[in-house]
Amino acid sequence: MLTQPVFVTQPYLPPLEEFIPYLQSIWDNKILTNGGAFHQQLEQALRSHLGVEQVALFSNGTLGLITALQALRVTGDVITTPYSFVATSHSLLWHGNRPVFVDVEPHTLNMDPARIEAAITPQTTAILAVHCYGNPCDVQAIQKIADNYNLRVIYDACHAFGVEDEGGSILRHGDLSVLSFHATKVFNTFEGGAIVCPDAKTKQRIDHLKNFGFVDEVTVVAPGINGKMSEVNAAFGLLQLKHMDTVMRRRAEVDAVYRAQLADVPGLQILPKGNQTVSNHSYFPVLVTPEFKVSRDALYEHLKVNGVNARRYFYPLISDFPMYRGLPSAGRDNLPVAARAADQVLCLPIYPALTAEQQQRVVDLIKSA
Ligand code: T4K
């Protein structure tokens, strides 16, 4: 009997009939975009759901990152991590900044604060760090360095929807945090994203920048971009928010089963949980070390031919892509921890609709590799 393929993730889709009234309302009002009613409602709903001061919606996380750099007027060199989705560094190139890569910590695979100071030069103006897999960066250490050297801090929080530390949302750290609401994310609006910012004045500037720089009909204050979220996406977000308890609960269950079932597999290293008080279980990365029976790529293929599409997030390292590899900081000898993780990592399927049978199949395939 042919079995259904298993993906690394699958979007949570509420029952279609629940979405119809939202669509009806859009059809009735004929406001499709440019800050309509659903857009405004979703911004308010996310403020309260996440417990943050201000939220500016975007059409995707990448435009959110580029606009965050523009909003803070970041120039010159920006210290960042090579261990992320390529959009993190691409946003720097799009904004005319030079990425300076520093290595990551072995336990979180987030930027290692101990490596930042040595990378700072007179050209450095900001730090762009990533809460990788939703595990928080060492935000206190990063902020201390930023304060000492007068640097801006932007968090690529595209994996970190709903994650909290002892003080509340981790999105409150740094100058700005950027979320992605892509279909593959914990909370999705098909495509989408947001900048979380601390005050209304900053949000107003961001709102201008995401609307071509328009302040009013005849005034343009900056070469802004079109980063607006449409009403259909915002409406879907409002509906999706109603289901977040289910989404988070199911993800936590899947995470717990993997941790129990894979704990004793020789050579398979499960990343320890970070210091968050609330996790979102957005990914389930394991490191396939040389002590495992087969190589990481052999395990990836073994799963694939058996209908399980695990993913090597994040391989290749960003710093190995052609547009980055010539940078002075891009050498693998400068980034040994990130390089090792990129060669060993495999993200296992985790999403609300993953059945117990499917998950057992993943576990059995790993054990029988
Ligand atoms: N910063 C970080 C740290 C990020 O991870 C990302 C995005 C960004 C910035 C940029 O945010 P956005 O501009 O995207 O909002 C995916 C996503 O496209 C990307 O959003 C995400 N990170 C990245 C980690 O993963 P792919 O190329 O691996 O996606 P894809 O199409 O292969 O999808 C993976 C699996 O998900 C598929 O095998 C099946 C399932 N899937 C996917 C889609 C799109 C579905 O079931 N339905 C779907 O509609 O990049």
PDB file of all heavy atoms in Angstrom, residues 7-11 60-63 65 84-85 87-88 130 156 158-159 179-185 191-192 283 309 311 313-314, ligand 1:
ATOM      1  N   PHE A   7       5.927  15.670   5.036  1.00  0.00           N
ATOM      2  CA  PHE A   7       6.754  16.845   4.753  1.00  0.00           C
ATOM      3  C   PHE A   7       7.424  17.345   6.023  1.00  0.00           C
ATOM      4  O   PHE A   7       7.009  16.982   7.125  1.00  0.00           O
ATOM      5  CB  PHE A   7       5.895  17.954   4.128  1.00  0.00           C
ATOM      6  CG  PHE A   7       5.297  17.537   2.813  1.00  0.00           C
ATOM      7  CD1 PHE A   7       3.960  17.163   2.735  1.00  0.00           C
ATOM      8  CD2 PHE A   7       6.074  17.467   1.673  1.00  0.00           C
ATOM      9  CE1 PHE A   7       3.406  16.757   1.528  1.00  0.00           C
ATOM     10  CE2 PHE A   7       5.529  17.056   0.464  1.00  0.00           C
ATOM     11  CZ  PHE A   7       4.195  16.698   0.388  1.00  0.00           C
ATOM     12  N   VAL A   8       8.417  18.213   5.848  1.00  0.00           N
ATOM     13  CA  VAL A   8       9.077  18.776   7.028  1.00  0.00           C
ATOM     14  C   VAL A   8       8.084  19.620   7.814  1.00  0.00           C
ATOM     15  O   VAL A   8       8.119  19.704   9.036  1.00  0.00           O
ATOM     16  CB  VAL A   8      10.345  19.569   6.649  1.00  0.00           C
ATOM     17  CG1 VAL A   8      10.017  20.842   5.872  1.00  0.00           C
ATOM     18  CG2 VAL A   8      11.173  19.891   7.880  1.00  0.00           C
ATOM     19  N   THR A   9       7.162  20.244   7.077  1.00  0.00           N
ATOM     20  CA  THR A   9       6.101  21.004   7.730  1.00  0.00           C
ATOM     21  C   THR A   9       4.905  21.063   6.806  1.00  0.00           C
ATOM     22  O   THR A   9       5.000  20.752   5.614  1.00  0.00           O
ATOM     23  CB  THR A   9       6.560  22.427   8.105  1.00  0.00           C
ATOM     24  OG1 THR A   9       5.551  23.031   8.907  1.00  0.00           O
ATOM     25  CG2 THR A   9       6.811  23.287   6.889  1.00  0.00           C
ATOM     26  N   GLN A  10       3.804  21.431   7.360  1.00  0.00           N
ATOM     27  CA  GLN A  10       2.585  21.632   6.570  1.00  0.00           C
ATOM     28  C   GLN A  10       1.786  22.713   7.274  1.00  0.00           C
ATOM     29  O   GLN A  10       1.681  22.683   8.497  1.00  0.00           O
ATOM     30  CB  GLN A  10       1.768  20.338   6.551  1.00  0.00           C
ATOM     31  CG  GLN A  10       1.253  19.987   5.192  1.00  0.00           C
ATOM     32  CD  GLN A  10       0.551  18.642   5.167  1.00  0.00           C
ATOM     33  OE1 GLN A  10      -0.081  18.258   6.138  1.00  0.00           O
ATOM     34  NE2 GLN A  10       0.638  17.960   4.069  1.00  0.00           N
ATOM     35  N   PRO A  11       1.228  23.658   6.508  1.00  0.00           N
ATOM     36  CA  PRO A  11       0.488  24.729   7.175  1.00  0.00           C
ATOM     37  C   PRO A  11      -0.768  24.209   7.857  1.00  0.00           C
ATOM     38  O   PRO A  11      -1.396  23.276   7.353  1.00  0.00           O
ATOM     39  CB  PRO A  11       0.121  25.690   6.034  1.00  0.00           C
ATOM     40  CG  PRO A  11       0.304  24.918   4.777  1.00  0.00           C
ATOM     41  CD  PRO A  11       1.251  23.796   5.047  1.00  0.00           C
ATOM     42  N   ASN A  60       5.705  40.003   3.628  1.00  0.00           N
ATOM     43  CA  ASN A  60       6.541  38.842   3.961  1.00  0.00           C
ATOM     44  C   ASN A  60       7.650  39.283   4.917  1.00  0.00           C
ATOM     45  O   ASN A  60       7.873  40.481   5.118  1.00  0.00           O
ATOM     46  CB  ASN A  60       7.116  38.154   2.709  1.00  0.00           C
ATOM     47  CG  ASN A  60       7.957  39.085   1.872  1.00  0.00           C
ATOM     48  OD1 ASN A  60       8.978  39.583   2.338  1.00  0.00           O
ATOM     49  ND2 ASN A  60       7.534  39.350   0.639  1.00  0.00           N
ATOM     50  N   GLY A  61       8.334  38.313   5.480  1.00  0.00           N
ATOM     51  CA  GLY A  61       9.370  38.615   6.457  1.00  0.00           C
ATOM     52  C   GLY A  61      10.583  39.304   5.838  1.00  0.00           C
ATOM     53  O   GLY A  61      11.214  40.145   6.479  1.00  0.00           O
ATOM     54  N   THR A  62      10.897  38.960   4.599  1.00  0.00           N
ATOM     55  CA  THR A  62      12.087  39.527   3.953  1.00  0.00           C
ATOM     56  C   THR A  62      11.941  41.046   3.790  1.00  0.00           C
ATOM     57  O   THR A  62      12.878  41.801   4.090  1.00  0.00           O
ATOM     58  CB  THR A  62      12.319  38.851   2.585  1.00  0.00           C
ATOM     59  OG1 THR A  62      12.358  37.436   2.790  1.00  0.00           O
ATOM     60  CG2 THR A  62      13.607  39.301   1.953  1.00  0.00           C
ATOM     61  N   LEU A  63      10.779  41.492   3.334  1.00  0.00           N
ATOM     62  CA  LEU A  63      10.559  42.942   3.218  1.00  0.00           C
ATOM     63  C   LEU A  63      10.537  43.590   4.602  1.00  0.00           C
ATOM     64  O   LEU A  63      10.928  44.751   4.760  1.00  0.00           O
ATOM     65  CB  LEU A  63       9.261  43.229   2.463  1.00  0.00           C
ATOM     66  CG  LEU A  63       9.345  42.955   0.952  1.00  0.00           C
ATOM     67  CD1 LEU A  63       7.979  43.120   0.293  1.00  0.00           C
ATOM     68  CD2 LEU A  63      10.356  43.886   0.282  1.00  0.00           C
ATOM     69  N   LEU A  65      12.491  42.636   7.079  1.00  0.00           N
ATOM     70  CA  LEU A  65      13.912  42.789   7.446  1.00  0.00           C
ATOM     71  C   LEU A  65      14.538  44.002   6.744  1.00  0.00           C
ATOM     72  O   LEU A  65      15.233  44.809   7.364  1.00  0.00           O
ATOM     73  CB  LEU A  65      14.690  41.527   7.067  1.00  0.00           C
ATOM     74  CG  LEU A  65      14.505  40.303   7.969  1.00  0.00           C
ATOM     75  CD1 LEU A  65      15.103  39.055   7.323  1.00  0.00           C
ATOM     76  CD2 LEU A  65      15.121  40.540   9.345  1.00  0.00           C
ATOM     77  N   SER A  84      21.488  30.502   9.055  1.00  0.00           N
ATOM     78  CA  SER A  84      20.106  30.973   8.980  1.00  0.00           C
ATOM     79  C   SER A  84      19.605  30.725   7.564  1.00  0.00           C
ATOM     80  O   SER A  84      20.346  30.255   6.696  1.00  0.00           O
ATOM     81  CB  SER A  84      20.043  32.471   9.305  1.00  0.00           C
ATOM     82  OG  SER A  84      18.709  32.955   9.254  1.00  0.00           O
ATOM     83  N   PHE A  85      18.335  31.066   7.344  1.00  0.00           N
ATOM     84  CA  PHE A  85      17.801  31.081   5.988  1.00  0.00           C
ATOM     85  C   PHE A  85      18.437  32.264   5.262  1.00  0.00           C
ATOM     86  O   PHE A  85      18.706  33.304   5.870  1.00  0.00           O
ATOM     87  CB  PHE A  85      16.276  31.222   6.040  1.00  0.00           C
ATOM     88  CG  PHE A  85      15.589  31.048   4.725  1.00  0.00           C
ATOM     89  CD1 PHE A  85      15.708  29.873   4.002  1.00  0.00           C
ATOM     90  CD2 PHE A  85      14.797  32.061   4.198  1.00  0.00           C
ATOM     91  CE1 PHE A  85      15.056  29.701   2.793  1.00  0.00           C
ATOM     92  CE2 PHE A  85      14.133  31.895   2.989  1.00  0.00           C
ATOM     93  CZ  PHE A  85      14.269  30.712   2.284  1.00  0.00           C
ATOM     94  N   ALA A  87      17.549  34.593   3.500  1.00  0.00           N
ATOM     95  CA  ALA A  87      16.898  35.913   3.520  1.00  0.00           C
ATOM     96  C   ALA A  87      17.521  36.838   4.566  1.00  0.00           C
ATOM     97  O   ALA A  87      17.503  38.065   4.402  1.00  0.00           O
ATOM     98  CB  ALA A  87      15.403  35.764   3.791  1.00  0.00           C
ATOM     99  N   THR A  88      18.086  36.277   5.631  1.00  0.00           N
ATOM    100  CA  THR A  88      18.686  37.119   6.677  1.00  0.00           C
ATOM    101  C   THR A  88      19.792  37.983   6.067  1.00  0.00           C
ATOM    102  O   THR A  88      19.776  39.215   6.178  1.00  0.00           O
ATOM    103  CB  THR A  88      19.263  36.238   7.816  1.00  0.00           C
ATOM    104  OG1 THR A  88      18.265  35.324   8.244  1.00  0.00           O
ATOM    105  CG2 THR A  88      19.720  37.090   8.983  1.00  0.00           C
ATOM    106  N   VAL A 130      19.654  36.101  14.835  1.00  0.00           N
ATOM    107  CA  VAL A 130      18.485  35.257  14.529  1.00  0.00           C
ATOM    108  C   VAL A 130      18.169  34.382  15.740  1.00  0.00           C
ATOM    109  O   VAL A 130      19.075  33.739  16.289  1.00  0.00           O
ATOM    110  CB  VAL A 130      18.773  34.346  13.308  1.00  0.00           C
ATOM    111  CG1 VAL A 130      17.571  33.468  12.988  1.00  0.00           C
ATOM    112  CG2 VAL A 130      19.169  35.172  12.096  1.00  0.00           C
ATOM    113  N   ASP A 156      16.128  38.941  13.739  1.00  0.00           N
ATOM    114  CA  ASP A 156      15.351  38.158  12.792  1.00  0.00           C
ATOM    115  C   ASP A 156      14.648  37.106  13.640  1.00  0.00           C
ATOM    116  O   ASP A 156      15.255  36.113  14.068  1.00  0.00           O
ATOM    117  CB  ASP A 156      16.284  37.526  11.753  1.00  0.00           C
ATOM    118  CG  ASP A 156      15.555  36.616  10.775  1.00  0.00           C
ATOM    119  OD1 ASP A 156      14.483  36.098  11.142  1.00  0.00           O
ATOM    120  OD2 ASP A 156      16.066  36.404   9.660  1.00  0.00           O
ATOM    121  N   CYS A 158      11.977  35.414  12.730  1.00  0.00           N
ATOM    122  CA  CYS A 158      11.052  34.733  11.809  1.00  0.00           C
ATOM    123  C   CYS A 158      10.630  33.355  12.311  1.00  0.00           C
ATOM    124  O   CYS A 158       9.601  32.841  11.912  1.00  0.00           O
ATOM    125  CB  CYS A 158      11.670  34.655  10.413  1.00  0.00           C
ATOM    126  SG  CYS A 158      11.649  36.261   9.584  1.00  0.00           S
ATOM    127  N   HIS A 159      11.434  32.753  13.218  1.00  0.00           N
ATOM    128  CA  HIS A 159      11.066  31.441  13.779  1.00  0.00           C
ATOM    129  C   HIS A 159      10.421  31.577  15.153  1.00  0.00           C
ATOM    130  O   HIS A 159      10.131  30.557  15.777  1.00  0.00           O
ATOM    131  CB  HIS A 159      12.312  30.573  13.964  1.00  0.00           C
ATOM    132  CG  HIS A 159      13.064  30.287  12.707  1.00  0.00           C
ATOM    133  ND1 HIS A 159      14.264  29.624  12.685  1.00  0.00           N
ATOM    134  CD2 HIS A 159      12.781  30.564  11.410  1.00  0.00           C
ATOM    135  CE1 HIS A 159      14.697  29.511  11.440  1.00  0.00           C
ATOM    136  NE2 HIS A 159      13.813  30.083  10.647  1.00  0.00           N
ATOM    137  N   LEU A 179       9.136  39.246  12.162  1.00  0.00           N
ATOM    138  CA  LEU A 179       8.472  37.932  12.099  1.00  0.00           C
ATOM    139  C   LEU A 179       8.177  37.553  10.652  1.00  0.00           C
ATOM    140  O   LEU A 179       7.988  38.431   9.804  1.00  0.00           O
ATOM    141  CB  LEU A 179       7.134  37.985  12.847  1.00  0.00           C
ATOM    142  CG  LEU A 179       7.200  38.115  14.371  1.00  0.00           C
ATOM    143  CD1 LEU A 179       5.854  38.582  14.915  1.00  0.00           C
ATOM    144  CD2 LEU A 179       7.610  36.792  15.006  1.00  0.00           C
ATOM    145  N   SER A 180       8.107  36.248  10.394  1.00  0.00           N
ATOM    146  CA  SER A 180       7.591  35.754   9.113  1.00  0.00           C
ATOM    147  C   SER A 180       6.312  34.978   9.367  1.00  0.00           C
ATOM    148  O   SER A 180       6.243  34.179  10.305  1.00  0.00           O
ATOM    149  CB  SER A 180       8.600  34.809   8.454  1.00  0.00           C
ATOM    150  OG  SER A 180       7.975  34.097   7.387  1.00  0.00           O
ATOM    151  N   PHE A 181       5.322  35.229   8.527  1.00  0.00           N
ATOM    152  CA  PHE A 181       4.068  34.463   8.586  1.00  0.00           C
ATOM    153  C   PHE A 181       3.915  33.612   7.324  1.00  0.00           C
ATOM    154  O   PHE A 181       2.807  33.385   6.824  1.00  0.00           O
ATOM    155  CB  PHE A 181       2.865  35.401   8.718  1.00  0.00           C
ATOM    156  CG  PHE A 181       2.921  36.354   9.897  1.00  0.00           C
ATOM    157  CD1 PHE A 181       2.296  37.596   9.830  1.00  0.00           C
ATOM    158  CD2 PHE A 181       3.587  36.010  11.062  1.00  0.00           C
ATOM    159  CE1 PHE A 181       2.334  38.478  10.909  1.00  0.00           C
ATOM    160  CE2 PHE A 181       3.642  36.888  12.149  1.00  0.00           C
ATOM    161  CZ  PHE A 181       3.015  38.132  12.067  1.00  0.00           C
ATOM    162  N   HIS A 182       5.053  33.155   6.788  1.00  0.00           N
ATOM    163  CA  HIS A 182       5.019  32.299   5.597  1.00  0.00           C
ATOM    164  C   HIS A 182       4.268  30.994   5.891  1.00  0.00           C
ATOM    165  O   HIS A 182       4.173  30.563   7.049  1.00  0.00           O
ATOM    166  CB  HIS A 182       6.464  31.995   5.173  1.00  0.00           C
ATOM    167  CG  HIS A 182       6.560  31.167   3.938  1.00  0.00           C
ATOM    168  ND1 HIS A 182       6.780  29.808   3.965  1.00  0.00           N
ATOM    169  CD2 HIS A 182       6.446  31.505   2.628  1.00  0.00           C
ATOM    170  CE1 HIS A 182       6.803  29.345   2.725  1.00  0.00           C
ATOM    171  NE2 HIS A 182       6.613  30.356   1.892  1.00  0.00           N
ATOM    172  N   ALA A 183       3.767  30.366   4.831  1.00  0.00           N
ATOM    173  CA  ALA A 183       2.993  29.127   4.954  1.00  0.00           C
ATOM    174  C   ALA A 183       3.686  28.064   5.804  1.00  0.00           C
ATOM    175  O   ALA A 183       3.024  27.235   6.433  1.00  0.00           O
ATOM    176  CB  ALA A 183       2.713  28.567   3.567  1.00  0.00           C
ATOM    177  N   THR A 184       5.017  28.078   5.828  1.00  0.00           N
ATOM    178  CA  THR A 184       5.752  27.036   6.564  1.00  0.00           C
ATOM    179  C   THR A 184       5.942  27.383   8.043  1.00  0.00           C
ATOM    180  O   THR A 184       6.562  26.597   8.769  1.00  0.00           O
ATOM    181  CB  THR A 184       7.145  26.829   5.927  1.00  0.00           C
ATOM    182  OG1 THR A 184       7.810  28.091   5.885  1.00  0.00           O
ATOM    183  CG2 THR A 184       7.043  26.256   4.523  1.00  0.00           C
ATOM    184  N   LYS A 185       5.426  28.521   8.470  1.00  0.00           N
ATOM    185  CA  LYS A 185       5.697  28.968   9.836  1.00  0.00           C
ATOM    186  C   LYS A 185       4.575  28.567  10.810  1.00  0.00           C
ATOM    187  O   LYS A 185       3.468  28.224  10.405  1.00  0.00           O
ATOM    188  CB  LYS A 185       5.871  30.498   9.853  1.00  0.00           C
ATOM    189  CG  LYS A 185       7.079  30.974   9.052  1.00  0.00           C
ATOM    190  CD  LYS A 185       8.379  30.540   9.701  1.00  0.00           C
ATOM    191  CE  LYS A 185       9.609  31.146   9.079  1.00  0.00           C
ATOM    192  NZ  LYS A 185      10.142  30.418   7.926  1.00  0.00           N
ATOM    193  N   GLU A 191       1.409  34.104   2.854  1.00  0.00           N
ATOM    194  CA  GLU A 191       2.648  34.894   2.886  1.00  0.00           C
ATOM    195  C   GLU A 191       2.385  36.024   3.867  1.00  0.00           C
ATOM    196  O   GLU A 191       1.265  36.513   3.962  1.00  0.00           O
ATOM    197  CB  GLU A 191       2.969  35.507   1.522  1.00  0.00           C
ATOM    198  CG  GLU A 191       3.400  34.532   0.448  1.00  0.00           C
ATOM    199  CD  GLU A 191       4.896  34.251   0.415  1.00  0.00           C
ATOM    200  OE1 GLU A 191       5.641  34.770   1.281  1.00  0.00           O
ATOM    201  OE2 GLU A 191       5.321  33.478  -0.471  1.00  0.00           O
ATOM    202  N   GLY A 192       3.413  36.462   4.565  1.00  0.00           N
ATOM    203  CA  GLY A 192       3.212  37.588   5.473  1.00  0.00           C
ATOM    204  C   GLY A 192       4.375  37.742   6.420  1.00  0.00           C
ATOM    205  O   GLY A 192       5.292  36.917   6.450  1.00  0.00           O
ATOM    206  N   TYR A 283      10.549  24.002  14.854  1.00  0.00           N
ATOM    207  CA  TYR A 283      11.371  23.041  14.106  1.00  0.00           C
ATOM    208  C   TYR A 283      11.797  21.931  15.050  1.00  0.00           C
ATOM    209  O   TYR A 283      11.799  22.120  16.268  1.00  0.00           O
ATOM    210  CB  TYR A 283      12.631  23.731  13.541  1.00  0.00           C
ATOM    211  CG  TYR A 283      12.325  24.772  12.488  1.00  0.00           C
ATOM    212  CD1 TYR A 283      12.007  26.084  12.852  1.00  0.00           C
ATOM    213  CD2 TYR A 283      12.337  24.454  11.133  1.00  0.00           C
ATOM    214  CE1 TYR A 283      11.702  27.045  11.888  1.00  0.00           C
ATOM    215  CE2 TYR A 283      12.047  25.404  10.163  1.00  0.00           C
ATOM    216  CZ  TYR A 283      11.719  26.693  10.550  1.00  0.00           C
ATOM    217  OH  TYR A 283      11.429  27.629   9.605  1.00  0.00           O
ATOM    218  N   ASN A 309      10.100  13.717   3.858  1.00  0.00           N
ATOM    219  CA  ASN A 309      10.905  14.838   3.361  1.00  0.00           C
ATOM    220  C   ASN A 309      11.427  15.686   4.519  1.00  0.00           C
ATOM    221  O   ASN A 309      10.890  16.750   4.802  1.00  0.00           O
ATOM    222  CB  ASN A 309      10.082  15.685   2.394  1.00  0.00           C
ATOM    223  CG  ASN A 309       9.709  14.903   1.157  1.00  0.00           C
ATOM    224  OD1 ASN A 309      10.530  14.657   0.290  1.00  0.00           O
ATOM    225  ND2 ASN A 309       8.456  14.454   1.103  1.00  0.00           N
ATOM    226  N   ARG A 311      14.390  18.126   6.104  1.00  0.00           N
ATOM    227  CA  ARG A 311      15.131  19.187   5.408  1.00  0.00           C
ATOM    228  C   ARG A 311      16.415  19.532   6.150  1.00  0.00           C
ATOM    229  O   ARG A 311      16.463  19.456   7.376  1.00  0.00           O
ATOM    230  CB  ARG A 311      14.263  20.440   5.268  1.00  0.00           C
ATOM    231  CG  ARG A 311      13.094  20.251   4.316  1.00  0.00           C
ATOM    232  CD  ARG A 311      13.542  20.020   2.880  1.00  0.00           C
ATOM    233  NE  ARG A 311      13.992  21.240   2.274  1.00  0.00           N
ATOM    234  CZ  ARG A 311      13.202  22.071   1.592  1.00  0.00           C
ATOM    235  NH1 ARG A 311      11.931  21.797   1.403  1.00  0.00           N
ATOM    236  NH2 ARG A 311      13.689  23.170   1.074  1.00  0.00           N
ATOM    237  N   TYR A 313      17.853  22.282   7.105  1.00  0.00           N
ATOM    238  CA  TYR A 313      17.903  23.699   7.521  1.00  0.00           C
ATOM    239  C   TYR A 313      18.944  23.831   8.623  1.00  0.00           C
ATOM    240  O   TYR A 313      18.749  23.269   9.682  1.00  0.00           O
ATOM    241  CB  TYR A 313      16.562  24.163   8.061  1.00  0.00           C
ATOM    242  CG  TYR A 313      15.403  24.155   7.109  1.00  0.00           C
ATOM    243  CD1 TYR A 313      14.172  23.631   7.503  1.00  0.00           C
ATOM    244  CD2 TYR A 313      15.501  24.695   5.838  1.00  0.00           C
ATOM    245  CE1 TYR A 313      13.078  23.649   6.649  1.00  0.00           C
ATOM    246  CE2 TYR A 313      14.412  24.709   4.974  1.00  0.00           C
ATOM    247  CZ  TYR A 313      13.206  24.177   5.387  1.00  0.00           C
ATOM    248  OH  TYR A 313      12.130  24.197   4.544  1.00  0.00           O
ATOM    249  N   PHE A 314      20.143  24.461   8.427  1.00  0.00           N
ATOM    250  CA  PHE A 314      20.462  25.357   7.342  1.00  0.00           C
ATOM    251  C   PHE A 314      21.767  24.915   6.693  1.00  0.00           C
ATOM    252  O   PHE A 314      22.846  25.177   7.224  1.00  0.00           O
ATOM    253  CB  PHE A 314      20.549  26.795   7.849  1.00  0.00           C
ATOM    254  CG  PHE A 314      19.190  27.303   8.223  1.00  0.00           C
ATOM    255  CD1 PHE A 314      18.805  27.354   9.543  1.00  0.00           C
ATOM    256  CD2 PHE A 314      18.290  27.674   7.245  1.00  0.00           C
ATOM    257  CE1 PHE A 314      17.538  27.798   9.864  1.00  0.00           C
ATOM    258  CE2 PHE A 314      17.020  28.131   7.572  1.00  0.00           C
ATOM    259  CZ  PHE A 314      16.641  28.184   8.884  1.00  0.00           C
TER     260      PHE A 314
HETATM  261  N1  T4K B   1      14.580  34.709   8.181  1.00  0.00           N
HETATM  262  C1  T4K B   1      14.494  33.414   8.528  1.00  0.00           C
HETATM  263  C2  T4K B   1      15.301  32.927   9.671  1.00  0.00           C
HETATM  264  C3  T4K B   1      13.653  32.553   7.815  1.00  0.00           C
HETATM  265  O1  T4K B   1      13.575  31.246   8.147  1.00  0.00           O
HETATM  266  C4  T4K B   1      12.884  33.065   6.739  1.00  0.00           C
HETATM  267  C5  T4K B   1      12.038  32.197   5.962  1.00  0.00           C
HETATM  268  C6  T4K B   1      12.982  34.442   6.448  1.00  0.00           C
HETATM  269  C7  T4K B   1      13.856  35.232   7.186  1.00  0.00           C
HETATM  270  C8  T4K B   1      12.187  35.077   5.354  1.00  0.00           C
HETATM  271  O2  T4K B   1      10.804  35.127   5.654  1.00  0.00           O
HETATM  272  P1  T4K B   1       9.735  35.163   4.415  1.00  0.00           P
HETATM  273  O3  T4K B   1      10.169  36.283   3.482  1.00  0.00           O
HETATM  274  O4  T4K B   1       9.764  33.827   3.757  1.00  0.00           O
HETATM  275  O5  T4K B   1       8.424  35.475   5.102  1.00  0.00           O
HETATM  276  C9  T4K B   1      10.937  27.941   3.395  1.00  0.00           C
HETATM  277  C10 T4K B   1      10.174  29.231   3.331  1.00  0.00           C
HETATM  278  O6  T4K B   1       9.917  29.669   2.001  1.00  0.00           O
HETATM  279  C11 T4K B   1      10.799  30.347   4.103  1.00  0.00           C
HETATM  280  O7  T4K B   1       9.745  31.245   4.418  1.00  0.00           O
HETATM  281  C12 T4K B   1      11.434  29.885   5.385  1.00  0.00           C
HETATM  282  N2  T4K B   1      12.140  30.935   6.063  1.00  0.00           N
HETATM  283  C13 T4K B   1      12.390  28.754   5.120  1.00  0.00           C
HETATM  284  C14 T4K B   1      13.064  28.241   6.371  1.00  0.00           C
HETATM  285  O8  T4K B   1      11.663  27.669   4.537  1.00  0.00           O
HETATM  286  P2  T4K B   1      11.724  26.321   1.498  1.00  0.00           P
HETATM  287  O9  T4K B   1      12.277  26.625   0.147  1.00  0.00           O
HETATM  288  O10 T4K B   1      12.422  25.315   2.327  1.00  0.00           O
HETATM  289  O11 T4K B   1      10.158  25.964   1.435  1.00  0.00           O
HETATM  290  P3  T4K B   1       9.422  24.798   0.636  1.00  0.00           P
HETATM  291  O12 T4K B   1       8.546  25.413  -0.387  1.00  0.00           O
HETATM  292  O13 T4K B   1      10.405  23.776   0.188  1.00  0.00           O
HETATM  293  O14 T4K B   1       8.473  24.186   1.768  1.00  0.00           O
HETATM  294  C15 T4K B   1       8.913  23.233   2.725  1.00  0.00           C
HETATM  295  C16 T4K B   1       7.809  22.192   2.890  1.00  0.00           C
HETATM  296  O15 T4K B   1       6.658  22.793   3.431  1.00  0.00           O
HETATM  297  C17 T4K B   1       7.354  21.551   1.589  1.00  0.00           C
HETATM  298  O16 T4K B   1       8.111  20.391   1.357  1.00  0.00           O
HETATM  299  C18 T4K B   1       5.896  21.218   1.827  1.00  0.00           C
HETATM  300  C19 T4K B   1       5.470  22.227   2.879  1.00  0.00           C
HETATM  301  N3  T4K B   1       4.641  23.290   2.315  1.00  0.00           N
HETATM  302  C20 T4K B   1       5.215  24.418   1.805  1.00  0.00           C
HETATM  303  C21 T4K B   1       4.444  25.418   1.266  1.00  0.00           C
HETATM  304  C22 T4K B   1       5.084  26.662   0.693  1.00  0.00           C
HETATM  305  C23 T4K B   1       3.267  23.130   2.298  1.00  0.00           C
HETATM  306  O17 T4K B   1       2.755  22.076   2.757  1.00  0.00           O
HETATM  307  N4  T4K B   1       2.495  24.133   1.806  1.00  0.00           N
HETATM  308  C24 T4K B   1       3.020  25.279   1.296  1.00  0.00           C
HETATM  309  O18 T4K B   1       2.268  26.173   0.848  1.00  0.00           O
HETATM  310  O19 T4K B   1      11.705  27.725   2.251  1.00  0.00           O
END
